[in-house]
Amino acid sequence: MTIHQPSLTADDVAVEKSETVYQGFFRMDKLTLRHKRFNGEWMGPFTRELFERGQAVCVLLYDPARDAVVLLEQFRVGALEDQRSPWLIELVAGMVEEGETAEDVARRECEEEAGVVPARLIPVCNYWVSPGGTSERVAIFCGLIDSKGLGGLHGLDDENEDIRTFVIPFDEAYSAVENGTINNAATIVALQWLKIHHADVCA
């Protein structure tokens, strides 16, 4: 066996019951399920609450000619207890809606939140945010742009968005990862990816 060959798959899970216990801005489901153990026996039934968040798309906007990135600052309710501020430094981001591809969302959100459409989207990674309790999955892209004239205030009023967009040298952005100023997963992952692939992206 290698790490690329899982010993168990979704076929080894049996969902016996699924009920929505909360439906608001987000949805919470309660599942009753069983699944196979590694020894071939079955575990359960047991219950788990699942926060149905859907798929998100994040874009690190990068200007290779200026070696600069475009980042956003906005309020996040989940960070109310952040010691620095609940206004986090983040990537362009949005949720995939029915009928959309991740690339569709990337271009739409870049235009809405930063006023630019990338000339090219480079796939970075696709990961589960916190699979112990939420279905949310994030696709990250690096979007190549010309950052001249970018910045300012963006966001949609009907979505209660108030976004400050700014251009910053890549080295300064990466220093903010190292000193903890940037402290959310997608932005850290994207900037670390760019640090590793910097020479190739700039070529």
Side-chain angles (χ1 to χ4, degrees), residues 40-110:
E41 298 176 357
W42 281 81
M43 176 183 292
F46 57 93
T47 61
R48 289 289 185 271
E49 289 75 35
L50 180 64
F51 178 28
E52 284 288 356
R53 184 73 168 87
Q55 182 175 1
V57 175
C58 297
V59 185
L60 173 62
L61 292 171
Y62 178 61
D63 183 341
R66 295 178 174 83
D67 196 23
V69 297
V70 176
L71 297 175
L72 280 55
E73 182 178 17
Q74 61 182 317
F75 172 77
R76 292 302 191 190
V77 67
L80 277 173
E81 296 186 10
D82 189 282
Q83 292 182 347
R84 190 186 68 85
S85 172
W87 276 260
L88 301 185
I89 306 301
E90 301 181 331
L91 307 176
V92 166
M95 302 303 296
V96 177
E97 298 175 2
E98 188 174 351
E100 287 186 312
T101 67
E103 290 81 3
D104 291 336
V105 179
R107 294 184 182 93
R108 167 170 56 80
E109 293 296 331
C110 286

Side-chain angles (χ1 to χ4, degrees), residues 82-161:
D82 189 282
Q83 292 182 347
R84 190 186 68 85
S85 172
W87 276 260
L88 301 185
I89 306 301
E90 301 181 331
L91 307 176
V92 166
M95 302 303 296
V96 177
E97 298 175 2
E98 188 174 351
E100 287 186 312
T101 67
E103 290 81 3
D104 291 336
V105 179
R107 294 184 182 93
R108 167 170 56 80
E109 293 296 331
C110 286
E111 188 167 14
E112 287 181 7
E113 298 185 347
V116 66
V117 176
R120 180 184 169 201
L121 289 171
I122 304 172
V124 172
C125 68
N126 196 314
Y127 70 93
W128 297 103
V129 173
S130 186
T134 178
S135 64
E136 184 175 10
R137 194 170 185 175
V138 172
I140 300 179
F141 294 92
C142 179
L144 301 186
I145 58 163
D146 177 354
S147 63
K148 183 179 179 180
L150 297 185
L153 303 181
H154 296 271
L156 300 177
D157 287 342
D158 61 350
E159 295 184 9
N160 297 301
E161 293 179 329

Side-chain angles (χ1 to χ4, degrees), residues 22-40:
Y22 177 77
Q23 179 68 67
F25 189 73
F26 298 117
R27 191 177 96 223
M28 180 74 75
D29 290 345
K30 182 178 180 180
L31 305 181
T32 302
L33 52 91
R34 299 181 299 119
H35 69 72
K36 273 189 180 178
R37 296 175 179 266
F38 290 111
N39 66 8

